[in-house]
Amino acid sequence: MAPGSLKEAERLFTQTQTYADLKRTNAEVVVAAPFVYLLNLKTKKLKNLKLASQDVFWENPPAGGGAYTGEISAEMLKNLGVEYVIIGHSERRQHLGETDKMINKKVKVALKTGLKVILCVGEDLKIRKKGKKAVEKFVKNQLQKDLKGITKSLIVVYEPIWAISTSIGGHSITPQDAVEIIKFIKQTLKTKSYKLKANVLYGGSVNGKNIKDFIRHKEIDGVLVGGASLKIKEVKKILA
């Protein structure tokens, strides 16, 4: 739910785009802006940037219209020119009560509509303290429920809730911790149950200082940036 104004959103977007162009980065750079800014940002010359929504509803508009007041459909996003959508972010699971059943419905409608899905999974501190096996069991359960009936490729983000300093208190995670679970996620997605093609990103308090430590590992295909994305100096360091 940031930044607080369209002017600031456009400033961040423009500066991010300018720097991405200058660096000619071979990374795919996707900006997930709040719903109310998407149309304005789409009118900019995107060049090296692509747009994502931070969420989507699990139904497209009914033929008669008038239902699901306040929600945004995959069809609306697609018609607007949005390419990606984040689904199952930890904050929506925690604060808005999103269940795996709801998330599965969102993944299905988004993929059916032609959006590229960025699915977030990950454990809280209570699960992490129980050890690696408990974490693997928890994450596997999320994947099985969230991806039930899914056969199309997508992006998965390993988002350890306990490592997100802005909401938990700054518990540290080592790159090796992230690599272990990301390897497990990739192995899980290649079992008989799925055989899904997925890039797996890391999403736990990434910034300009620690990004090298994570992306130097071949298992990590990219990052989902949170609070640092609102600071243009951090964005530049991350892109660099």
Side-chain angles (χ1 to χ4, degrees):
M1 202 166 65
S5 70
L6 174 59
K7 183 178 180 180
E8 177 64 9
E10 290 180 329
R11 186 186 72 83
L12 281 168
F13 186 83
T14 301
Q15 291 189 14
T16 299
Q17 179 174 271
T18 299
Y19 196 72
D21 289 343
L22 287 174
K23 295 301 294 185
R24 291 189 175 89
T25 176
N26 62 356
E28 189 167 16
V29 184
V30 181
V31 176
F35 287 131
V36 292
Y37 303 144
L38 288 172
L39 178 60
N40 294 78
L41 297 184
K42 183 60 185 175
T43 62
K44 306 290 182 183
K45 293 181 179 179
L46 291 175
K47 295 182 182 178
N48 287 334
L49 300 187
K50 296 183 179 179
L51 278 181
S53 167
Q54 296 178 5
D55 186 39
V56 68
F57 189 56
W58 59 72
E59 296 281 355
N60 274 320
Y68 313 121
T69 300
E71 294 295 341
I72 307 293
S73 73
E75 189 176 286
M76 292 174 181
L77 295 171
K78 183 72 174 177
N79 290 337
L80 192 63
V82 172
E83 293 186 50
Y84 289 81
V85 58
I86 298 174
I87 297 177
H89 191 280
S90 62
E91 290 176 351
R92 296 196 63 83
R93 292 178 187 262
Q94 280 183 285
H95 306 306
L96 297 169
E98 282 201 1
T99 65
D100 290 308
K101 185 176 181 180
M102 292 160 65
I103 290 165
N104 178 246
K105 290 165 69 175
K106 290 184 176 189
V107 172
K108 285 179 177 177
V109 74
L111 290 174
K112 184 179 180 181
T113 307
L115 296 174
K116 297 176 183 178
V117 169
I118 302 170
L119 172 67
C120 298
V121 298
E123 79 285 359
D124 59 21
L125 187 59
K126 184 178 179 181
I127 299 295
R128 167 56 64 165
K129 285 183 175 179
K130 292 181 180 180
K132 182 182 174 184
K133 290 295 181 183
V135 173
E136 290 178 346
K137 181 179 179 181
F138 181 84
V139 171
K140 184 177 181 179
N141 184 57
Q142 281 188 317
L143 290 170
Q144 288 177 331
K145 292 180 178 179
D146 296 346
L147 298 176
K148 184 178 180 181
I150 304 299
T151 57
K152 293 183 179 180
S153 62
L154 73 164
I155 296 167
V156 175
V157 180
Y158 172 51
E159 188 188 26
I161 303 169
W162 55 277
I164 302 173
S165 60
T166 53
S167 60
I168 299 300
H171 295 281
S172 61
I173 181 172
T174 67
Q176 192 55 42
D177 288 333
V179 167
E180 286 181 354
I181 302 304
I182 286 175
K183 284 175 68 175
F184 174 77
I185 289 172
K186 289 185 173 183
Q187 291 166 0
T188 300
L189 295 177
K190 290 181 180 178
T191 61
K192 292 181 180 178
S193 303
Y194 299 109
K195 293 183 180 177
L196 289 179
K197 183 179 179 182
N199 285 327
V200 184
L201 316 184
Y202 171 67
S205 291
V206 179
N207 55 50
K209 187 176 180 180
N210 67 18
I211 184 158
K212 282 186 179 180
D213 296 332
F214 288 98
I215 63 170
R216 67 183 177 86
H217 295 277
K218 66 180 187 300
E219 292 86 357
I220 299 177
D221 299 316
V223 292
L224 177 67
V225 185
S229 67
L230 298 173
K231 303 171 184 176
I232 196 61
K233 288 183 179 180
E234 288 294 309
V235 171
K236 289 179 177 180
K237 290 177 183 177
I238 290 167
L239 289 176

mmCIF file of all heavy atoms in Angstrom, residues 66-106:
data_model
loop_
_atom_site.group_PDB
_atom_site.id
_atom_site.type_symbol
_atom_site.label_atom_id
_atom_site.label_comp_id
_atom_site.label_asym_id
_atom_site.label_seq_id
_atom_site.Cartn_x
_atom_site.Cartn_y
_atom_site.Cartn_z
ATOM 1 N N GLY A 66 -22.349 -6.673 -11.857
ATOM 2 C CA GLY A 66 -22.908 -6.275 -10.569
ATOM 3 C C GLY A 66 -22.435 -7.032 -9.348
ATOM 4 O O GLY A 66 -22.845 -6.708 -8.249
ATOM 5 N N ALA A 67 -21.569 -8.042 -9.523
ATOM 6 C CA ALA A 67 -21.156 -8.837 -8.364
ATOM 7 C C ALA A 67 -19.722 -8.521 -7.937
ATOM 8 O O ALA A 67 -18.961 -7.907 -8.676
ATOM 9 C CB ALA A 67 -21.278 -10.314 -8.685
ATOM 10 N N TYR A 68 -19.387 -8.956 -6.703
ATOM 11 C CA TYR A 68 -18.023 -8.865 -6.169
ATOM 12 C C TYR A 68 -17.540 -7.413 -6.047
ATOM 13 O O TYR A 68 -16.449 -7.056 -6.490
ATOM 14 C CB TYR A 68 -17.052 -9.686 -7.019
ATOM 15 C CG TYR A 68 -17.555 -11.062 -7.341
ATOM 16 C CD1 TYR A 68 -17.734 -11.482 -8.652
ATOM 17 C CD2 TYR A 68 -17.890 -11.955 -6.306
ATOM 18 C CE1 TYR A 68 -18.214 -12.747 -8.946
ATOM 19 C CE2 TYR A 68 -18.375 -13.230 -6.593
ATOM 20 C CZ TYR A 68 -18.543 -13.615 -7.909
ATOM 21 O OH TYR A 68 -19.027 -14.870 -8.189
ATOM 22 N N THR A 69 -18.364 -6.596 -5.437
ATOM 23 C CA THR A 69 -18.053 -5.179 -5.272
ATOM 24 C C THR A 69 -16.670 -4.972 -4.651
ATOM 25 O O THR A 69 -16.336 -5.584 -3.645
ATOM 26 C CB THR A 69 -19.122 -4.519 -4.377
ATOM 27 O OG1 THR A 69 -20.386 -4.658 -5.005
ATOM 28 C CG2 THR A 69 -18.808 -3.039 -4.169
ATOM 29 N N GLY A 70 -15.901 -4.091 -5.266
ATOM 30 C CA GLY A 70 -14.594 -3.738 -4.741
ATOM 31 C C GLY A 70 -13.450 -4.598 -5.216
ATOM 32 O O GLY A 70 -12.290 -4.268 -4.963
ATOM 33 N N GLU A 71 -13.747 -5.701 -5.914
ATOM 34 C CA GLU A 71 -12.676 -6.596 -6.359
ATOM 35 C C GLU A 71 -12.193 -6.245 -7.767
ATOM 36 O O GLU A 71 -12.875 -5.554 -8.523
ATOM 37 C CB GLU A 71 -13.148 -8.055 -6.327
ATOM 38 C CG GLU A 71 -13.442 -8.571 -4.927
ATOM 39 C CD GLU A 71 -12.214 -8.626 -4.043
ATOM 40 O OE1 GLU A 71 -11.084 -8.623 -4.571
ATOM 41 O OE2 GLU A 71 -12.377 -8.662 -2.812
ATOM 42 N N ILE A 72 -10.999 -6.734 -8.108
ATOM 43 C CA ILE A 72 -10.395 -6.517 -9.425
ATOM 44 C C ILE A 72 -10.181 -7.880 -10.070
ATOM 45 O O ILE A 72 -9.541 -8.757 -9.482
ATOM 46 C CB ILE A 72 -9.037 -5.792 -9.310
ATOM 47 C CG1 ILE A 72 -9.166 -4.505 -8.495
ATOM 48 C CG2 ILE A 72 -8.450 -5.526 -10.693
ATOM 49 C CD1 ILE A 72 -9.986 -3.422 -9.135
ATOM 50 N N SER A 73 -10.707 -8.066 -11.270
ATOM 51 C CA SER A 73 -10.633 -9.378 -11.924
ATOM 52 C C SER A 73 -9.404 -9.515 -12.806
ATOM 53 O O SER A 73 -8.786 -8.527 -13.227
ATOM 54 C CB SER A 73 -11.883 -9.607 -12.779
ATOM 55 O OG SER A 73 -11.827 -8.802 -13.953
ATOM 56 N N ALA A 74 -9.062 -10.751 -13.124
ATOM 57 C CA ALA A 74 -7.951 -11.042 -14.028
ATOM 58 C C ALA A 74 -8.228 -10.464 -15.414
ATOM 59 O O ALA A 74 -7.325 -9.976 -16.100
ATOM 60 C CB ALA A 74 -7.734 -12.553 -14.113
ATOM 61 N N GLU A 75 -9.492 -10.515 -15.811
ATOM 62 C CA GLU A 75 -9.895 -9.981 -17.107
ATOM 63 C C GLU A 75 -9.636 -8.475 -17.187
ATOM 64 O O GLU A 75 -9.140 -7.958 -18.189
ATOM 65 C CB GLU A 75 -11.380 -10.281 -17.335
ATOM 66 C CG GLU A 75 -11.882 -9.988 -18.724
ATOM 67 C CD GLU A 75 -13.342 -10.402 -18.875
ATOM 68 O OE1 GLU A 75 -13.604 -11.621 -18.965
ATOM 69 O OE2 GLU A 75 -14.203 -9.510 -18.876
ATOM 70 N N MET A 76 -9.966 -7.751 -16.120
ATOM 71 C CA MET A 76 -9.713 -6.312 -16.071
ATOM 72 C C MET A 76 -8.216 -6.021 -16.205
ATOM 73 O O MET A 76 -7.801 -5.127 -16.942
ATOM 74 C CB MET A 76 -10.215 -5.732 -14.750
ATOM 75 C CG MET A 76 -11.710 -5.725 -14.571
ATOM 76 S SD MET A 76 -12.098 -5.161 -12.883
ATOM 77 C CE MET A 76 -13.885 -5.272 -12.913
ATOM 78 N N LEU A 77 -7.406 -6.769 -15.468
ATOM 79 C CA LEU A 77 -5.958 -6.572 -15.487
ATOM 80 C C LEU A 77 -5.381 -6.869 -16.860
ATOM 81 O O LEU A 77 -4.540 -6.123 -17.381
ATOM 82 C CB LEU A 77 -5.289 -7.460 -14.430
ATOM 83 C CG LEU A 77 -5.635 -7.135 -12.974
ATOM 84 C CD1 LEU A 77 -5.099 -8.221 -12.048
ATOM 85 C CD2 LEU A 77 -5.087 -5.776 -12.573
ATOM 86 N N LYS A 78 -5.843 -7.949 -17.459
ATOM 87 C CA LYS A 78 -5.369 -8.330 -18.793
ATOM 88 C C LYS A 78 -5.719 -7.258 -19.813
ATOM 89 O O LYS A 78 -4.884 -6.865 -20.648
ATOM 90 C CB LYS A 78 -6.000 -9.667 -19.194
ATOM 91 C CG LYS A 78 -5.534 -10.213 -20.544
ATOM 92 C CD LYS A 78 -4.114 -10.704 -20.481
ATOM 93 C CE LYS A 78 -3.730 -11.370 -21.792
ATOM 94 N NZ LYS A 78 -2.299 -11.797 -21.791
ATOM 95 N N ASN A 79 -6.928 -6.763 -19.759
ATOM 96 C CA ASN A 79 -7.361 -5.713 -20.696
ATOM 97 C C ASN A 79 -6.589 -4.411 -20.501
ATOM 98 O O ASN A 79 -6.443 -3.618 -21.438
ATOM 99 C CB ASN A 79 -8.863 -5.449 -20.543
ATOM 100 C CG ASN A 79 -9.705 -6.604 -21.061
ATOM 101 O OD1 ASN A 79 -9.248 -7.393 -21.880
ATOM 102 N ND2 ASN A 79 -10.930 -6.717 -20.572
ATOM 103 N N LEU A 80 -6.091 -4.204 -19.298
ATOM 104 C CA LEU A 80 -5.322 -2.999 -18.989
ATOM 105 C C LEU A 80 -3.883 -3.090 -19.499
ATOM 106 O O LEU A 80 -3.198 -2.084 -19.625
ATOM 107 C CB LEU A 80 -5.320 -2.773 -17.475
ATOM 108 C CG LEU A 80 -4.816 -1.435 -16.953
ATOM 109 C CD1 LEU A 80 -5.713 -0.294 -17.438
ATOM 110 C CD2 LEU A 80 -4.784 -1.448 -15.425
ATOM 111 N N GLY A 81 -3.443 -4.319 -19.788
ATOM 112 C CA GLY A 81 -2.079 -4.500 -20.259
ATOM 113 C C GLY A 81 -1.116 -4.995 -19.194
ATOM 114 O O GLY A 81 0.096 -5.040 -19.406
ATOM 115 N N VAL A 82 -1.656 -5.388 -18.036
ATOM 116 C CA VAL A 82 -0.829 -5.975 -16.977
ATOM 117 C C VAL A 82 -0.446 -7.395 -17.385
ATOM 118 O O VAL A 82 -1.272 -8.143 -17.909
ATOM 119 C CB VAL A 82 -1.602 -5.989 -15.636
ATOM 120 C CG1 VAL A 82 -0.842 -6.761 -14.568
ATOM 121 C CG2 VAL A 82 -1.869 -4.564 -15.177
ATOM 122 N N GLU A 83 0.805 -7.771 -17.144
ATOM 123 C CA GLU A 83 1.280 -9.093 -17.565
ATOM 124 C C GLU A 83 1.395 -10.101 -16.420
ATOM 125 O O GLU A 83 1.251 -11.300 -16.625
ATOM 126 C CB GLU A 83 2.644 -8.973 -18.248
ATOM 127 C CG GLU A 83 2.602 -8.232 -19.571
ATOM 128 C CD GLU A 83 3.952 -8.255 -20.275
ATOM 129 O OE1 GLU A 83 4.544 -9.348 -20.414
ATOM 130 O OE2 GLU A 83 4.425 -7.171 -20.664
ATOM 131 N N TYR A 84 1.686 -9.604 -15.221
ATOM 132 C CA TYR A 84 1.951 -10.488 -14.084
ATOM 133 C C TYR A 84 0.991 -10.196 -12.932
ATOM 134 O O TYR A 84 0.443 -9.097 -12.831
ATOM 135 C CB TYR A 84 3.376 -10.289 -13.568
ATOM 136 C CG TYR A 84 4.455 -10.803 -14.475
ATOM 137 C CD1 TYR A 84 4.892 -10.044 -15.566
ATOM 138 C CD2 TYR A 84 5.075 -12.030 -14.243
ATOM 139 C CE1 TYR A 84 5.901 -10.502 -16.400
ATOM 140 C CE2 TYR A 84 6.086 -12.498 -15.066
ATOM 141 C CZ TYR A 84 6.498 -11.730 -16.139
ATOM 142 O OH TYR A 84 7.494 -12.181 -16.966
ATOM 143 N N VAL A 85 0.843 -11.171 -12.034
ATOM 144 C CA VAL A 85 0.061 -10.945 -10.823
ATOM 145 C C VAL A 85 0.691 -11.728 -9.673
ATOM 146 O O VAL A 85 1.073 -12.886 -9.817
ATOM 147 C CB VAL A 85 -1.418 -11.354 -11.006
ATOM 148 C CG1 VAL A 85 -1.563 -12.817 -11.395
ATOM 149 C CG2 VAL A 85 -2.211 -11.068 -9.739
ATOM 150 N N ILE A 86 0.839 -11.046 -8.530
ATOM 151 C CA ILE A 86 1.313 -11.706 -7.308
ATOM 152 C C ILE A 86 0.108 -12.328 -6.608
ATOM 153 O O ILE A 86 -0.917 -11.679 -6.422
ATOM 154 C CB ILE A 86 1.995 -10.703 -6.363
ATOM 155 C CG1 ILE A 86 3.233 -10.099 -7.038
ATOM 156 C CG2 ILE A 86 2.391 -11.384 -5.048
ATOM 157 C CD1 ILE A 86 3.888 -8.985 -6.234
ATOM 158 N N ILE A 87 0.248 -13.584 -6.215
ATOM 159 C CA ILE A 87 -0.843 -14.282 -5.525
ATOM 160 C C ILE A 87 -0.287 -14.977 -4.280
ATOM 161 O O ILE A 87 0.787 -15.574 -4.313
ATOM 162 C CB ILE A 87 -1.510 -15.325 -6.454
ATOM 163 C CG1 ILE A 87 -2.152 -14.619 -7.666
ATOM 164 C CG2 ILE A 87 -2.560 -16.134 -5.698
ATOM 165 C CD1 ILE A 87 -2.764 -15.566 -8.679
ATOM 166 N N GLY A 88 -1.014 -14.865 -3.173
ATOM 167 C CA GLY A 88 -0.634 -15.562 -1.950
ATOM 168 C C GLY A 88 0.469 -14.899 -1.150
ATOM 169 O O GLY A 88 1.144 -15.557 -0.354
ATOM 170 N N HIS A 89 0.645 -13.582 -1.330
ATOM 171 C CA HIS A 89 1.674 -12.875 -0.557
ATOM 172 C C HIS A 89 1.423 -13.084 0.935
ATOM 173 O O HIS A 89 0.281 -13.154 1.385
ATOM 174 C CB HIS A 89 1.639 -11.384 -0.901
ATOM 175 C CG HIS A 89 2.807 -10.625 -0.370
ATOM 176 N ND1 HIS A 89 2.879 -10.216 0.941
ATOM 177 C CD2 HIS A 89 3.943 -10.205 -0.971
ATOM 178 C CE1 HIS A 89 4.025 -9.568 1.136
ATOM 179 N NE2 HIS A 89 4.690 -9.546 -0.009
ATOM 180 N N SER A 90 2.503 -13.187 1.698
ATOM 181 C CA SER A 90 2.391 -13.500 3.136
ATOM 182 C C SER A 90 1.498 -12.531 3.888
ATOM 183 O O SER A 90 0.778 -12.924 4.814
ATOM 184 C CB SER A 90 3.783 -13.519 3.776
ATOM 185 O OG SER A 90 4.402 -12.248 3.681
ATOM 186 N N GLU A 91 1.527 -11.246 3.507
ATOM 187 C CA GLU A 91 0.706 -10.268 4.221
ATOM 188 C C GLU A 91 -0.778 -10.505 3.979
ATOM 189 O O GLU A 91 -1.609 -10.276 4.872
ATOM 190 C CB GLU A 91 1.105 -8.855 3.805
ATOM 191 C CG GLU A 91 2.484 -8.457 4.314
ATOM 192 C CD GLU A 91 2.931 -7.093 3.824
ATOM 193 O OE1 GLU A 91 2.240 -6.521 2.957
ATOM 194 O OE2 GLU A 91 3.965 -6.615 4.305
ATOM 195 N N ARG A 92 -1.131 -10.972 2.797
ATOM 196 C CA ARG A 92 -2.544 -11.262 2.519
ATOM 197 C C ARG A 92 -2.965 -12.543 3.247
ATOM 198 O O ARG A 92 -4.098 -12.649 3.728
ATOM 199 C CB ARG A 92 -2.773 -11.386 1.010
ATOM 200 C CG ARG A 92 -2.499 -10.090 0.261
ATOM 201 C CD ARG A 92 -3.090 -10.129 -1.138
ATOM 202 N NE ARG A 92 -4.540 -10.258 -1.093
ATOM 203 C CZ ARG A 92 -5.391 -9.240 -0.933
ATOM 204 N NH1 ARG A 92 -4.942 -8.005 -0.810
ATOM 205 N NH2 ARG A 92 -6.688 -9.457 -0.913
ATOM 206 N N ARG A 93 -2.067 -13.482 3.346
ATOM 207 C CA ARG A 93 -2.379 -14.700 4.105
ATOM 208 C C ARG A 93 -2.549 -14.369 5.583
ATOM 209 O O ARG A 93 -3.491 -14.837 6.230
ATOM 210 C CB ARG A 93 -1.246 -15.731 3.941
ATOM 211 C CG ARG A 93 -1.106 -16.334 2.542
ATOM 212 C CD ARG A 93 0.074 -17.283 2.527
ATOM 213 N NE ARG A 93 0.419 -17.804 1.227
ATOM 214 C CZ ARG A 93 0.049 -18.989 0.744
ATOM 215 N NH1 ARG A 93 -0.715 -19.784 1.469
ATOM 216 N NH2 ARG A 93 0.442 -19.400 -0.451
ATOM 217 N N GLN A 94 -1.651 -13.545 6.114
ATOM 218 C CA GLN A 94 -1.666 -13.202 7.540
ATOM 219 C C GLN A 94 -2.813 -12.274 7.928
ATOM 220 O O GLN A 94 -3.591 -12.566 8.832
ATOM 221 C CB GLN A 94 -0.353 -12.512 7.916
ATOM 222 C CG GLN A 94 0.818 -13.423 8.149
ATOM 223 C CD GLN A 94 2.036 -12.627 8.575
ATOM 224 O OE1 GLN A 94 2.672 -11.970 7.766
ATOM 225 N NE2 GLN A 94 2.363 -12.674 9.850
ATOM 226 N N HIS A 95 -2.897 -11.137 7.247
ATOM 227 C CA HIS A 95 -3.788 -10.068 7.697
ATOM 228 C C HIS A 95 -5.177 -10.110 7.080
ATOM 229 O O HIS A 95 -6.121 -9.540 7.638
ATOM 230 C CB HIS A 95 -3.154 -8.711 7.402
ATOM 231 C CG HIS A 95 -1.778 -8.553 7.969
ATOM 232 N ND1 HIS A 95 -1.481 -8.770 9.305
ATOM 233 C CD2 HIS A 95 -0.594 -8.216 7.383
ATOM 234 C CE1 HIS A 95 -0.199 -8.567 9.519
ATOM 235 N NE2 HIS A 95 0.366 -8.235 8.366
ATOM 236 N N LEU A 96 -5.311 -10.754 5.927
ATOM 237 C CA LEU A 96 -6.605 -10.768 5.246
ATOM 238 C C LEU A 96 -7.235 -12.155 5.194
ATOM 239 O O LEU A 96 -8.274 -12.344 4.583
ATOM 240 C CB LEU A 96 -6.445 -10.199 3.828
ATOM 241 C CG LEU A 96 -5.993 -8.735 3.808
ATOM 242 C CD1 LEU A 96 -5.596 -8.307 2.407
ATOM 243 C CD2 LEU A 96 -7.089 -7.836 4.338
ATOM 244 N N GLY A 97 -6.585 -13.096 5.831
ATOM 245 C CA GLY A 97 -7.174 -14.427 5.967
ATOM 246 C C GLY A 97 -7.274 -15.236 4.679
ATOM 247 O O GLY A 97 -8.155 -16.088 4.558
ATOM 248 N N GLU A 98 -6.386 -14.978 3.741
ATOM 249 C CA GLU A 98 -6.434 -15.751 2.494
ATOM 250 C C GLU A 98 -6.037 -17.200 2.761
ATOM 251 O O GLU A 98 -5.008 -17.473 3.364
ATOM 252 C CB GLU A 98 -5.506 -15.140 1.437
ATOM 253 C CG GLU A 98 -6.083 -13.923 0.781
ATOM 254 C CD GLU A 98 -5.437 -13.611 -0.564
ATOM 255 O OE1 GLU A 98 -4.543 -14.349 -1.004
ATOM 256 O OE2 GLU A 98 -5.840 -12.603 -1.167
ATOM 257 N N THR A 99 -6.861 -18.103 2.292
ATOM 258 C CA THR A 99 -6.604 -19.535 2.473
ATOM 259 C C THR A 99 -5.993 -20.116 1.201
ATOM 260 O O THR A 99 -6.035 -19.502 0.133
ATOM 261 C CB THR A 99 -7.910 -20.275 2.771
ATOM 262 O OG1 THR A 99 -8.772 -20.187 1.612
ATOM 263 C CG2 THR A 99 -8.630 -19.672 3.978
ATOM 264 N N ASP A 100 -5.455 -21.318 1.339
ATOM 265 C CA ASP A 100 -4.888 -21.991 0.163
ATOM 266 C C ASP A 100 -5.972 -22.266 -0.879
ATOM 267 O O ASP A 100 -5.698 -22.240 -2.079
ATOM 268 C CB ASP A 100 -4.216 -23.301 0.585
ATOM 269 C CG ASP A 100 -2.936 -23.059 1.379
ATOM 270 O OD1 ASP A 100 -2.086 -22.305 0.896
ATOM 271 O OD2 ASP A 100 -2.800 -23.626 2.483
ATOM 272 N N LYS A 101 -7.184 -22.511 -0.431
ATOM 273 C CA LYS A 101 -8.289 -22.750 -1.364
ATOM 274 C C LYS A 101 -8.569 -21.494 -2.190
ATOM 275 O O LYS A 101 -8.771 -21.562 -3.413
ATOM 276 C CB LYS A 101 -9.547 -23.162 -0.593
ATOM 277 C CG LYS A 101 -10.715 -23.541 -1.496
ATOM 278 C CD LYS A 101 -11.895 -24.040 -0.666
ATOM 279 C CE LYS A 101 -13.057 -24.436 -1.571
ATOM 280 N NZ LYS A 101 -14.218 -24.926 -0.767
ATOM 281 N N MET A 102 -8.581 -20.342 -1.537
ATOM 282 C CA MET A 102 -8.790 -19.074 -2.246
ATOM 283 C C MET A 102 -7.641 -18.809 -3.217
ATOM 284 O O MET A 102 -7.854 -18.378 -4.361
ATOM 285 C CB MET A 102 -8.887 -17.923 -1.233
ATOM 286 C CG MET A 102 -10.138 -17.974 -0.368
ATOM 287 S SD MET A 102 -9.976 -16.997 1.161
ATOM 288 C CE MET A 102 -9.817 -15.353 0.505
ATOM 289 N N ILE A 103 -6.434 -19.075 -2.760
ATOM 290 C CA ILE A 103 -5.250 -18.840 -3.585
ATOM 291 C C ILE A 103 -5.263 -19.735 -4.815
ATOM 292 O O ILE A 103 -4.942 -19.301 -5.930
ATOM 293 C CB ILE A 103 -3.972 -19.048 -2.741
ATOM 294 C CG1 ILE A 103 -3.851 -17.903 -1.727
ATOM 295 C CG2 ILE A 103 -2.730 -19.135 -3.621
ATOM 296 C CD1 ILE A 103 -2.872 -18.159 -0.610
ATOM 297 N N ASN A 104 -5.646 -20.982 -4.650
ATOM 298 C CA ASN A 104 -5.735 -21.911 -5.781
ATOM 299 C C ASN A 104 -6.720 -21.416 -6.836
ATOM 300 O O ASN A 104 -6.449 -21.465 -8.044
ATOM 301 C CB ASN A 104 -6.153 -23.299 -5.281
ATOM 302 C CG ASN A 104 -6.323 -24.307 -6.394
ATOM 303 O OD1 ASN A 104 -7.434 -24.778 -6.659
ATOM 304 N ND2 ASN A 104 -5.240 -24.654 -7.053
ATOM 305 N N LYS A 105 -7.851 -20.894 -6.383
ATOM 306 C CA LYS A 105 -8.847 -20.353 -7.315
ATOM 307 C C LYS A 105 -8.294 -19.133 -8.057
ATOM 308 O O LYS A 105 -8.543 -18.943 -9.258
ATOM 309 C CB LYS A 105 -10.124 -19.983 -6.549
ATOM 310 C CG LYS A 105 -10.909 -21.192 -6.040
ATOM 311 C CD LYS A 105 -11.945 -20.801 -5.007
ATOM 312 C CE LYS A 105 -13.084 -20.000 -5.592
ATOM 313 N NZ LYS A 105 -14.141 -19.745 -4.589
ATOM 314 N N LYS A 106 -7.527 -18.311 -7.353
ATOM 315 C CA LYS A 106 -6.933 -17.133 -7.984
ATOM 316 C C LYS A 106 -5.895 -17.540 -9.030
ATOM 317 O O LYS A 106 -5.832 -16.956 -10.122
ATOM 318 C CB LYS A 106 -6.280 -16.241 -6.926
ATOM 319 C CG LYS A 106 -7.271 -15.536 -6.019
ATOM 320 C CD LYS A 106 -6.556 -14.587 -5.054
ATOM 321 C CE LYS A 106 -7.568 -13.814 -4.207
ATOM 322 N NZ LYS A 106 -6.941 -12.743 -3.412
#
